[in-house]
Amino acid sequence: MDRRSIIKNAGIAGILAAGAAPAVHAQAAIRWRLASSFPKALDTIHGAADTFARVVKNMTGGKFEVSVHAPGEIMPAFGVVDGVQQGSVEIAHTAPYYFFGKDETFALGTAIPFGLNSRQMTAWMYEGNGMKLMREFYAKYNMINFPGGNTGAQMGGWFRKEIKSVKDLKGLKFRVGGFAGKVLDRLGVIPQNIPGGDIYPALEKGTIDAAEWVGPYDDLKLGFNKVAPFYYYPGFWEGGPQLDFFINDKAFNALSPEYKAIVEAACAQAHSDMQAKYDARNPAALKQLVGSGAKLREFPKDVMAASFKAAMELYEEVSAKNENWKKVYTDYSKFRADSNLWFRFTEAKFDSFMQAQKL
Ligand code: CA
């Protein structure tokens, strides 16, 4: 379309709009600080924040810069929600379930025991009601969220001693992420909520008896295999834990429409990149861990069954006393039921056949 026909078709409003179009190149310079809950050494999970910052910078020709800060640099790992809520940083990258002590509903933004897997979580967020419901909830904390990565199903962690039945969980001091502690303490576990960077020394000193983090690639980097030999699976409390970018709502709303779109696109890229990194890097790390003496063990059936029962009871109890949780969990659990009905015919059958082949 030539200039004359634009004028003819669009009239004065169109000319003004056309004149405003190149404004993406005339955006104000923006500087944001991002507080991460994850140690720099983890290129997977900390790396999502670096990906976000890099994409935002590249898409704005360097006008919008985000500095990424590891825990302790400007605030502690578990201080980031307060930081974003109060506006002391514009953005954080974290696992929402760390904050279930404020309200159990935070757990539904990451993972709950026997919850959604990674594919299901992304589907619930982007195409189900997940994003809408969680945003309504996070608005109470002056935050807007964007999905910021998923680890996929995790391992069950590193234990100094073998777990042969549910009885062996009694009195076990176990570093376990998020809401899982509320289930496991019903089986006698003494759950410990410790940031990633502080787990190794606690396990080495024997302050704790067992610790889970994510999976082979990260666990190898953090060195847990050196201090606890038994490596359990599956991490049934984290079938598909999602990380989030939490953005202070005033800071986000102050952005131009173009910058808002860029932030959204950068978060989406960080979200898919993280899962790809884990899926690509975990296989070799698992081989390396087993080669260096890690003993793989499946959780006993009675541990799985007792944990499942305890989890479902807990969700009923929380639903009875927490309206925020009830509203989100009602939708979440329906999505889980429908999705598992579908996947049982497709992903589950295909995966189990392929994994049994000798290729
Ligand atoms: Ca974990």
Side-chain angles (χ1 to χ4, degrees), residues 203-224:
L203 195 58
E204 189 187 29
K205 279 184 215 138
T207 320
I208 54 175
D209 306 305
E212 66 82 42
W213 175 241
V214 173
Y217 182 77
D218 289 344
D219 293 3
L220 180 65
K221 282 196 166 196
L222 295 180
F224 301 142

Side-chain angles (χ1 to χ4, degrees), residues 97 154-155 175-177 212-215 237-238 241:
Y97 68 9
Q154 297 195 359
M155 289 293 282
R175 183 280 169 193
V176 58
E212 66 82 42
W213 175 241
V214 173
W237 48 89
E238 287 168 296

Side-chain angles (χ1 to χ4, degrees), residues 5 7 54 64 118 153 241 257 263 280 309 355 357:
S5 61
I7 294 170
R54 189 185 67 245
F64 188 165
S118 170
V263 164
K309 185 167 175 281
Q355 287 151 13
Q357 305 311 306

